[in-house]
Amino acid sequence: MAPVVDHECALTAFVQEQQKRLDAVIALAERQQREIEQLKKALIGPKSERTKKMPSVDKAVGKSPSTPEEKLARRRANAKARKALEVVTVDHKVPDDERSCPRCGNEALEQLGAGRATEVIEYVPGRFVRRRHVQEVLRCRCNGHVVTAPGAPKVVEQGHYGASFIAHLIVAKCVDSLPIYRLEKAFAREGMHIKRSTMNDLFHRGACILEPLYARLLEQIAKRYLVQADETRLRMLDDGAGKPKNGFIWTFVAPDDKGGLDVAYRFAADRSGQTPREILGGTSGVLLVDGFSGYNSIAEVSSRVRAACHAHLRRYFHESLPTSPVAQEALDLILELYRVEHDVQQRGVVGTISHLEFRQRRSAPARDRLKAWLDDNLGRQMPKSPIGVAIRYGLNQWDELGRFLDDARIPLDNNASERSLRRVALGRKNYLFVGDADSGANIAGLYSLAATCEARSINPLEYLTDVLSRVGDHPASKLDELLPGPWAAAQA
């Protein structure tokens, strides 16, 4: 009978081995199916991850939803802006064949009031202006003393283009994501033929002039209590081979003590953790990031506590839905956390003691149910399947995900820094790559000032036009006055 037992054992081992292979094939198929779904979504699918149950949570850090008073103020500001537009009156006369009465034949019809007026908003293309600066020259007859009035303020010595033109180039590329070659064609349509090499040179000259400002902005952000960070790819030319290679732009977002939001970028040739180490070394507070290992070494050079992002956790489960419908249960549990934040914003108590009490009373039990669900499903799902990866991500980041329960200043997710990278993603689709590391550093610095202006509702063209002509002569000890926040406060 021994051979029969050996045969049964061999058959059992064979079945187990085949089952392992089958499980591996199923996991591979699910992973490939996930990749296919992600590629299809990136190409033709919707980009939003919002579900019908998702509450409308305001995107700004620490900002409550618009109140009726704020909406009214915006409408009044829009109406005021329309009234400030230049008015061009166009008179429309009654045609000659209709200037007589069809009944009595009277040809002397009387004017009825001031006429019927309607308004139509038209677009007048921007234009170039050549300003001729004439300097007064005075002379004393007694001894030949001559005095000359100050000349035209020039951003670039011996240059023929003013601050507003350079500011326009920066805004076009860093705010509107227009590459220089498109501006060259647009200017040519207006009869102004400016070589793209000239505009590129002016763009980078502007970056060099403004370098003290965005360097100081990054210094201030690094010292804030809460810093949110993220990174994305931006290709650059390899000096040796002349072919594009991957560079990276890192973003650092932080609110100030008055509720304003500042955004800064840093370009690096790689994705190593050296960039956040250099910027955040020696600082303290909270660092809110995703699960990327490049941030692991921050604890070695600073006393910052790391917090994790629920939006990233939710994304893993959202992407596993096509292959694992049970992921909806996890999404519903995460949704409860966002409902608490929505209710807090509706009550207008964001960042207060009441906010923390809401989290401890409602978010903590929801988080306990999510933890129980993750533990319960860990052994039920294939480890390398999309939902298995999502579950392991949640458990590995569990302590960091719970930081928000202890501090009302910590947002539930890192969406603020992700949104700040949208301008980089849109820009690289248009201008494709940067020339070298210095060019990447320049565009990262200009992105910093442009993004901070937009985050603070400042017109970036007005801001850049003003500071480009002032930063060179401004006292270094008062450089903070030219940063977007203090600049806007001084204009008010």
Side-chain angles (χ1 to χ4, degrees):
M1 298 298 292
V4 175
V5 174
D6 292 342
H7 178 71
E8 291 179 353
C9 292
L11 182 61
T12 301
F14 176 77
V15 171
Q16 292 176 346
E17 179 65 24
Q18 295 303 313
Q19 184 63 44
K20 290 181 180 179
R21 292 184 178 181
L22 178 60
D23 291 343
V25 170
I26 293 175
L28 176 62
E30 289 182 350
R31 187 163 62 250
Q32 291 176 338
Q33 180 64 29
R34 177 191 178 192
E35 293 175 354
I36 292 172
E37 293 295 333
Q38 289 177 332
L39 289 173
K40 288 172 62 178
K41 180 181 176 182
L43 289 174
I44 59 176
K47 301 299 187 292
S48 175
E49 298 174 6
R50 182 181 294 274
T51 63
K52 292 183 178 179
K53 299 179 181 180
M54 199 70 179
S56 177
V57 180
D58 195 275
K59 296 180 179 180
V61 176
K63 182 179 179 181
S64 301
S66 297
T67 63
E69 293 77 12
E70 291 174 337
K71 293 180 179 178
L72 178 60
R74 281 199 299 268
R75 287 197 296 269
R76 287 176 175 173
N78 291 338
K80 183 178 179 181
R82 287 199 172 205
K83 289 183 179 180
L85 293 176
E86 178 186 358
V87 178
V88 178
T89 302
V90 180
D91 294 323
H92 296 269
K93 299 295 183 181
V94 175
D96 292 340
D97 58 350
E98 297 181 15
R99 298 184 71 87
S100 61
C101 178
R103 293 186 178 182
C104 66
N106 180 18
E107 296 183 357
L109 299 182
E110 299 178 354
Q111 179 77 29
L112 185 60
R116 182 179 299 172
T118 57
E119 292 188 355
V120 178
I121 304 297
E122 298 282 2
Y123 171 70
V124 178
R127 67 186 191 277
F128 292 91
V129 177
R130 185 177 64 181
R131 291 181 177 172
R132 185 168 177 265
H133 295 263
V134 180
Q135 298 169 254
E136 183 182 21
V137 180
L138 303 178
R139 186 188 67 174
C140 178
R141 292 185 178 181
C142 67
N143 56 8
H145 172 70
V146 177
V147 59
T148 305
K154 288 189 176 182
V155 177
V156 179
E157 285 296 329
Q158 307 298 323
H160 300 288
Y161 298 94
S164 61
F165 182 78
I166 299 177
H168 176 64
L169 294 178
I170 296 172
V171 170
K173 186 165 185 176
C174 297
V175 178
D176 301 327
S177 301
L178 293 176
I180 297 297
Y181 80 90
R182 292 186 188 173
L183 287 176
E184 182 184 31
K185 294 193 297 184
F187 291 162
R189 289 195 299 269
E190 303 298 326
M192 195 68 180
H193 298 273
I194 307 176
K195 293 182 179 180
R196 71 184 69 174
S197 59
T198 300
M199 289 189 281
N200 271 315
D201 181 64
L202 290 172
F203 179 86
H204 290 290
R205 288 281 191 94
C208 293
I209 293 170
L210 296 171
E211 192 274 336
L213 283 179
Y214 52 74
R216 177 58 179 160
L217 179 66
L218 185 57
E219 289 178 7
Q220 287 194 352
I221 288 176
K223 296 177 182 178
R224 305 270 172 83
Y225 172 77
L226 171 67
V227 176
Q228 299 176 243
D230 206 350
E231 74 290 329
T232 191
R233 176 180 55 84
L234 180 61
R235 294 175 71 80
M236 68 174 180
L237 289 180
D238 187 349
D239 294 337
K243 296 181 180 179
K245 67 175 184 179
N246 281 339
F248 289 87
I249 280 193
W250 300 71
T251 182
F252 300 88
V253 180
D256 62 14
D257 54 0
K258 297 180 181 179
L261 192 66
D262 289 331
V263 184
Y265 301 83
R266 170 70 72 85
F267 182 83
D270 54 45
R271 202 186 177 198
S272 70
Q274 184 61 29
T275 299
R277 285 172 63 95
E278 291 177 357
I279 293 173
L280 300 177
T283 64
S284 61
V286 176
L287 175 63
L288 178 56
V289 291
D290 56 24
F292 176 49
S293 59
Y295 300 103
N296 292 347
S297 61
I298 296 298
E300 302 173 2
V301 296
S302 74
S303 57
R304 285 191 177 274
V305 176
R306 182 167 173 175
C309 171
H310 285 81
H312 279 81
L313 175 64
R314 184 183 184 278
R315 186 171 301 139
Y316 276 102
F317 285 107
H318 186 273
E319 292 174 350
S320 66
L321 267 178
T323 56
S324 304
V326 71
Q328 186 61 52
E329 297 177 9
L331 292 175
D332 292 340
L333 292 171
I334 297 173
L335 176 61
E336 294 185 30
L337 302 178
Y338 277 92
R339 288 196 182 280
V340 175
E341 302 304 302
H342 176 262
D343 293 344
V344 167
Q345 289 185 345
Q346 291 292 100
R347 295 171 183 265
V349 294
V350 175
T352 65
I353 297 297
S354 298
H355 188 178
L356 191 59
E357 292 174 352
F358 264 86
R359 285 179 170 180
Q360 294 172 347
R361 185 171 69 253
R362 294 175 53 187
S363 299
R367 180 174 145 83
D368 292 339
R369 292 193 296 273
L370 178 60
K371 180 63 163 58
W373 187 92
L374 293 174
D375 291 335
D376 185 51
N377 283 271
L378 178 63
R380 298 182 180 182
Q381 307 297 335
M382 298 290 294
K384 295 185 178 180
S385 65
I387 191 170
V389 172
I391 292 172
R392 284 189 289 109
Y393 178 87
L395 292 174
N396 292 339
Q397 298 285 315
W398 189 250
D399 291 339
E400 289 79 5
L401 286 168
R403 304 290 186 203
F404 77 104
L405 291 176
D406 302 322
D407 193 337
R409 293 171 291 182
I410 302 177
L412 202 59
D413 53 48
N414 193 31
N415 286 349
S417 65
E418 285 202 347
R419 285 193 300 272
S420 70
L421 290 177
R422 287 180 181 175
R423 70 179 64 247
V424 181
L426 183 58
R428 71 187 175 206
K429 289 183 179 180
N430 290 298
Y431 54 76
L432 302 181
F433 53 80
V434 294
D436 51 28
D438 290 338
S439 298
N442 286 344
I443 198 169
L446 295 177
Y447 269 144
S448 302
L449 298 178
T452 300
C453 282
E454 289 197 309
R456 291 178 173 269
S457 300
I458 300 171
N459 186 326
L461 183 61
E462 294 180 359
Y463 168 76
L464 292 170
T465 300
D466 184 46
V467 298
L468 272 169
S469 59
R470 295 172 54 191
V471 65
D473 299 327
H474 202 78
S477 60
K478 299 181 179 180
L479 189 63
D480 291 357
E481 297 176 351
L482 298 185
L483 293 177
W487 181 90
Q491 305 299 312

